[in-house]
Amino acid sequence: MAIRRLNYTGRKRIRREDVCITIFESDDSPPRFEARLNLGTYELPHEAQVFVEAYRQTTWMRFRFGTVGNVQPEDPLLLTDFGSPEGVLFRVRVSSLENPRGKLLAEADRIHPRKPDEQEQSRIPLLSVVPSADLGEEVFRVDFSDRPILLVNAKIPDWKVATRTPVFVSLVYPAVLREILARILHLGHPGEIEEDGDWHSQWLRFATLLPGMSTDVPASDNQEAADRWIDEAVGAFCRQHKMMQHFAQYWNGEG
Amino acid sequence: MKLHRLTEKGLEAFNEFLDSLTTDSPRSFPAHLLTDPEMSVPVEPPVEIETCIFANRFEAGRYLYQRLNGIPNIDRDQGLWAWLSAFYFEQLCPRDHSGNRKPGERARWIPAIGDYRKYYRHLLAGPYRIYKAHCEKPEVALALLCSKLHSPGDIVEQLASRQELVTNEAVMQVATWLYVGDDGRPKRGSGGRGPGSPRRLADVLNQFELTWDLYSMSAADLLKMLPSEFDKFRSDKQPGNQASTPFKGLSNLQCDSEG
């Protein structure tokens, strides 16, 4: 279950339009990023420290960005701990330098970076697909260490292309949807969808918007109803995306 | 011996060997992994690696840091760390009283480079990376480096699985103050799961993170904020200069350059 953040300390929420992060890919060096931060309207102390953190699942890097009065990177902005830029999110943190030192004064979280050719910040994809060198002989795995991501074995040549083939799409994505919904509904979710909620609510909302789906999500304590609802959701997803046709295309050698 | 990295074929063979150890017919260590050109390739520029006996993770971390720091992209080099695990295999996987070896999960031998919950479980990359993160003052991280190389213990499991914690000097210093005794060994009870345990410390720090930027805090301030359940691990010396207390396991590193 997600942690609900209660703001007892007057921490300010930095608006998304005041944070612009662009990520650059390169074949021969780690991905790097640039950040433009507009902190001028938040009435924060000039000497407060600014940090940008990049994260994906359990991978995390932190970069010093000077102070509110002089925002500028102090470290090379290389994402050396991330093998690929897929699914990397950012947060901006401003913390007090004076007593109490370290108090969080302002924060923006879950910032989705844009690519150099994008004018607008794109929406956070519900499911990021990320290559992984840790899967051994597994082709794919859903990782739940933060919001779900689909790990694909990095040993697959042209793994990005592979994830778009009819056979992969028709076999893997329905299984992924089933696993994620089961994870949500079997682990104590009340079945309510919160507006602007965490990934649980986002996935449940996605499922309720599939054709023919009921918006009444069963609560976890009714496992039979939850299983039935998941079956219906996966069925609706497959209908919507004509998964059987995709598979037949592969089977008939057309894909 | 010159440092190598295992090839795809070498990794496969190493995996098969590790798999065999938990069967009724365990194989003997495939020493050819270390030099057979099909199984491993030398790292360039050459680095000499010796067959050292490490008293603990601190010694291993320091030795590897001195030897390997500067190799580009080393943290993500699965083949290199797997080769090192094979090179030090006898020490990393000693036989138990029945003569059997228990290699444990694969991430102890081949680092899970995309999953930091598991990355630090690697028996050599883990201590190396912790030492490297605190290389200017490595004693602060003794809590995660004072155990035997082949049995990192629960402190490592609880605190090293999050990069935000393991790279944070204040957090590491607090853990060392709480859980490492004057003799440089884990305090009695520090491996438990109850009040004041490393597991609870990780939980409490998670809560603090909602309102504090732990990276900007001093170890002394952080220690003061901990609830009373941690009192049983506090000592009179804290927050003092315990990090400079001579750690008894640091001086007797024995190495053999012949390999």
Side-chain angles (χ1 to χ4, degrees), chain A residues 11 58 60 62 81 102 134, chain B residues 113-114 116 129 163 210 213 216:
Chain A
R11 183 180 65 246
T58 55
W60 171 90
R62 177 173 165 108
D81 282 1
D134 301 328
Chain B
I113 58 174
Y116 282 89
R129 192 148 176 172
Q163 279 181 293
L210 301 180
D213 181 46
S216 303

Side-chain angles (χ1 to χ4, degrees), chain B residues 70-219:
Chain B
I71 296 178
N73 211 18
I74 187 173
D75 295 333
R76 303 183 62 80
D77 196 331
Q78 284 181 312
L80 183 151
W81 290 111
W83 185 90
L84 278 168
S85 310
F87 184 75
Y88 288 113
F89 186 76
E90 275 299 326
Q91 193 175 164
L92 298 177
C93 196
R95 292 181 191 279
D96 63 17
H97 59 277
S98 317
N100 299 320
R101 299 187 196 271
K102 291 179 180 157
E105 71 170 307
R106 203 50 43 96
R108 287 160 63 95
W109 304 97
I110 301 168
I113 58 174
D115 185 347
Y116 282 89
R117 281 171 308 177
K118 292 185 178 174
Y119 185 94
Y120 287 91
R121 292 179 190 168
H122 192 273
L123 296 172
L124 295 172
Y128 163 81
R129 192 148 176 172
I130 293 167
Y131 191 98
K132 181 180 161 190
H134 302 283
C135 59
E136 288 178 11
K137 220 167 144 190
E139 297 87 352
V140 300
L142 263 186
L144 277 70
L145 294 172
C146 64
S147 51
K148 295 273 185 204
L149 207 47
H150 60 85
S151 55
D154 205 46
I155 304 179
V156 174
E157 187 60 30
Q158 297 305 323
L159 298 178
S161 58
R162 284 189 51 209
Q163 279 181 293
E164 300 94 312
L165 301 183
V166 75
T167 57
N168 184 324
E169 182 181 322
V171 169
M172 288 298 99
Q173 178 65 87
V174 166
T176 296
W177 277 338
L178 289 176
Y179 303 126
V180 180
D182 289 344
D183 59 355
R185 294 165 188 268
K187 284 183 189 170
R188 203 170 180 176
S190 61
R193 296 181 170 196
S197 64
R199 181 174 295 229
R200 281 289 303 144
L201 180 63
D203 288 345
V204 168
L205 292 172
N206 275 345
Q207 284 297 314
F208 285 174
E209 269 202 325
L210 301 180
T211 44
W212 295 90
D213 181 46
L214 299 181
Y215 246 84
S216 303
M217 298 181 72
S218 71

